[in-house]
Amino acid sequence: LQQTAHGDYFTQAEIRELVAYADQRGIRVVPEIDLPAHATAMLAAYPELASRPGSYQVERKFGIFDPVLDPTKEMNYQFLDQLFAELIPLFPDPYVHIGGDENAKGVDWNQSPSIQAFMKQHRLANNHELQAYFSRRMQKILSRMHRNMMGWEEILNPDLPKQTVVQIWLGKQSLIHAAQMGYRSVMSDGFYIDLMHTAGEYYLNDPLYPDQDKLSPAEQQRILGGEATMWSELVSAQNVDSRIWPRTAAIAERLWSPVEVRDVDDMYRRLAVTSVRLEELGLTHITAREVIMRNLAGGTNQTEALAVLLDVVEPLKDYHRNAGDNLYSVNSPFTLFADAANSDAPAARLFSIAMERFLKNGASADREALRSMLTRWRDNHRAMLQLIAISPVLNDVQGISANLKNISELALTLLDAPGGVTRDRYQQMQQSLHAARQQGGRTELQVVAPIEKLLERRLLETVESGR
Ligand code: ACM
């Protein structure tokens, strides 16, 4: 198996060291071998396990692929028995995860005459039932090895013993459903930190909220907690810390707090302190970003303009950054502007808070704070242009830097224009703000919405004053 891994594998000694290191810190390591799908690498090494004859290559891109183990071959269970017999002594934890996710289309099962014949013979009506057959067989193997089976929610099936734990990722309805069926669960839905949502969003994602009342106390007890998943498509060793920290601390607090704890501003206040402490403990989420910035600045220390722009953008969220699974592969360098951008644009958050307050109270201190930020953003473009001239890799962000300048100018005008805007001006401004929502360097500006609110307010003032 390791011969197909291009050097990307752990030796048994390394695994033992890792598990012991975690154990000394009170952390349990539950291994997952994803089966029967998401297993192309295994089929590259052992094509005879597959549902379709032929040879397989290890995937270097990301996505959901057709290759899948053949659950009807007795030989495959002997193989998996041996594989887990080798794995289990390395991981003392009582749980082992068999994956089970995203065998979505079932193409290779549908096209195999022997698999179709097996399904008829065993009265398995569809691929879900065939996968349930597979999961039951795996459960028996693991049970003999004194391990509890865990799997993604696709394995959920009333025939599985109730000690099976399901990991929920497709929605909170599944969490409720699993609890009502009598299964314990771990929730990852809403904790996909690789999708680059903000810490505030993750913080509010309580497994029980707002459905506490739909579940009996016994059912609620079955929800064991959650897991933040850091899928590694868009990271390197260099920037992975900045995707995990500090926001995983916010998720940890979510999961050990009562449902009622929902003060996002206070969480951010404390998270800023935690972030610095985590870096002191040896994490690199702050310094690695500075390394990427210096690279982007042509190997110089002239990173100030870049930092100003980075503080108001966030990387494209969900699966938009890697459009069509085609922009990046495992060999891509994750050293670009978007890799230095974090999912909580700090200056944008402060701007948004100051704008909310200003629109509520009209205090001159808030107006001055807004003016100071906007002036800085407006003037930053000139410095960015100088930087782009010496560092062409930044060409991708010239557009959003110009957009930031444009909408900052626009907002400065609005700040000083109580009493309103004409309809024509309003429409022009709306268009500029709309244009500023365009991505640049696979990131997007996070200051557009507060400026839109200011614009809406000025329009309202015009209407009210009857002009
Ligand atoms: C998953 O994200 N496929 C579990």
Side-chain angles (χ1 to χ4, degrees), residues 32 34 38 101-102 152 154 169 192 231 319:
E32 172 181 349
D34 210 346
H38 272 308
D101 58 318
E102 291 189 318
W152 294 103
E154 286 97 324
W169 70 286
Y192 270 40
W231 302 112
Y319 296 102

Side-chain angles (χ1 to χ4, degrees), residues 309 312-313 351 355 370 373-375 377-378 381 399-415 425 428-438 444-452 454-455:
L309 187 58
V312 294
V313 302
F351 182 70
M355 183 65 83
L370 292 170
M373 288 187 254
L374 289 164
T375 307
W377 297 338
R378 179 195 64 194
H381 188 52
I400 52 166
S401 177
N403 284 339
L404 180 63
K405 171 179 185 279
N406 290 343
I407 63 172
S408 298
E409 274 168 356
L410 176 162
L412 283 164
T413 323
L414 290 172
L415 213 51
R425 265 314 260 145
Q428 280 168 8
M429 287 183 166
Q430 239 193 353
Q431 277 167 17
S432 300
L433 288 167
H434 182 73
R437 288 192 179 278
Q438 284 280 323
E444 49 197 353
L445 287 173
Q446 300 299 313
V447 293
V448 181
I451 299 178
E452 280 172 347
L454 177 62
L455 178 60

Side-chain angles (χ1 to χ4, degrees), residues 64-122:
I64 305 169
F65 304 101
D66 294 337
V68 55
L69 270 71
D70 184 338
T72 72
K73 281 187 195 154
E74 234 11 75
M75 176 190 92
N76 284 359
Y77 297 103
Q78 284 160 26
F79 173 88
L80 292 168
D81 194 306
Q82 276 177 33
L83 181 70
F84 281 96
E86 198 172 320
L87 182 86
I88 273 170
L90 304 177
F91 295 93
D93 199 84
Y95 290 88
V96 169
H97 201 304
I98 63 150
D101 58 318
E102 291 189 318
N103 181 21
K105 298 190 200 127
V107 174
D108 288 2
W109 285 358
N110 297 342
Q111 290 180 357
S112 159
S114 66
I115 293 176
Q116 292 305 310
F118 181 94
M119 287 169 72
K120 270 213 186 74
Q121 187 195 345
H122 289 79

Side-chain angles (χ1 to χ4, degrees), residues 33-35 84 96-100 135 138 142 149-151 155:
I33 293 193
D34 210 346
L35 300 165
F84 281 96
V96 169
H97 201 304
I98 63 150
S135 303
M138 290 311 302
L142 293 174
M149 189 170 85
M150 196 169 166
I155 70 161

Side-chain angles (χ1 to χ4, degrees), residues 29 44 48 74 106 115 144 161 166 168 214 252 361 363 409 446:
V29 181
E48 64 272 25
E74 234 11 75
I115 293 176
R144 244 193 302 109
V166 291
I168 304 299
K214 290 190 190 154
N361 307 326
E409 274 168 356
Q446 300 299 313

Side-chain angles (χ1 to χ4, degrees), residues 267-296:
M267 179 279 288
Y268 274 114
R269 182 183 64 75
R270 291 175 295 111
L271 193 65
V273 180
T274 300
S275 178
V276 173
R277 281 192 192 145
L278 289 168
E279 178 90 14
E280 279 168 14
L281 288 173
L283 293 170
T284 59
H285 53 294
I286 299 171
T287 43
R289 176 186 204 231
E290 289 160 3
V291 174
I292 298 177
M293 283 202 291
R294 287 194 292 272
N295 266 323
L296 290 172

Side-chain angles (χ1 to χ4, degrees), residues 222-400:
R222 293 189 189 123
I223 300 171
L224 301 177
E227 184 198 30
T229 51
M230 182 59 231
W231 302 112
S232 59
E233 277 94 333
L234 301 179
V235 288
S236 62
Q238 186 177 50
N239 74 342
V240 68
D241 278 358
S242 75
R243 274 55 190 134
I244 301 176
W245 306 106
R247 58 226 185 100
T248 302
I251 295 176
E253 179 167 288
R254 163 78 282 131
L255 291 169
W256 68 54
S257 301
V259 155
E260 299 76 33
V261 174
R262 299 181 75 73
D263 186 340
V264 170
D265 286 340
D266 194 56
M267 179 279 288
Y268 274 114
R269 182 183 64 75
R270 291 175 295 111
L271 193 65
V273 180
T274 300
S275 178
V276 173
R277 281 192 192 145
L278 289 168
E279 178 90 14
E280 279 168 14
L281 288 173
L283 293 170
T284 59
H285 53 294
I286 299 171
T287 43
R289 176 186 204 231
E290 289 160 3
V291 174
I292 298 177
M293 283 202 291
R294 287 194 292 272
N295 266 323
L296 290 172
T300 73
N301 278 328
Q302 310 299 308
T303 56
E304 196 183 328
L306 255 182
V308 169
L309 187 58
L310 280 166
D311 279 353
V312 294
V313 302
E314 290 171 8
L316 293 183
K317 297 186 196 315
D318 300 323
Y319 296 102
H320 298 298
R321 177 155 174 213
N322 190 19
D325 288 326
N326 262 327
L327 225 43
Y328 303 101
S329 76
V330 293
N331 300 317
S332 297
F334 292 103
T335 51
L336 301 176
F337 183 78
D339 301 299
N342 288 332
S343 58
D344 286 274
R349 220 179 81 73
L350 294 178
F351 182 70
S352 178
I353 291 169
M355 183 65 83
E356 290 292 333
R357 260 200 330 241
F358 175 66
L359 292 177
K360 209 159 142 201
N361 307 326
S364 62
D366 289 323
R367 182 200 299 267
E368 287 321 305
L370 292 170
R371 194 198 307 281
S372 152
M373 288 187 254
L374 289 164
T375 307
R376 188 164 193 220
W377 297 338
R378 179 195 64 194
D379 297 343
N380 196 56
H381 188 52
R382 185 199 300 263
M384 275 304 297
L385 287 177
Q386 285 169 359
L387 205 52
I388 292 166
I390 61 160
S391 183
V393 69
L394 289 172
N395 275 333
D396 282 355
V397 296
Q398 181 162 338
I400 52 166

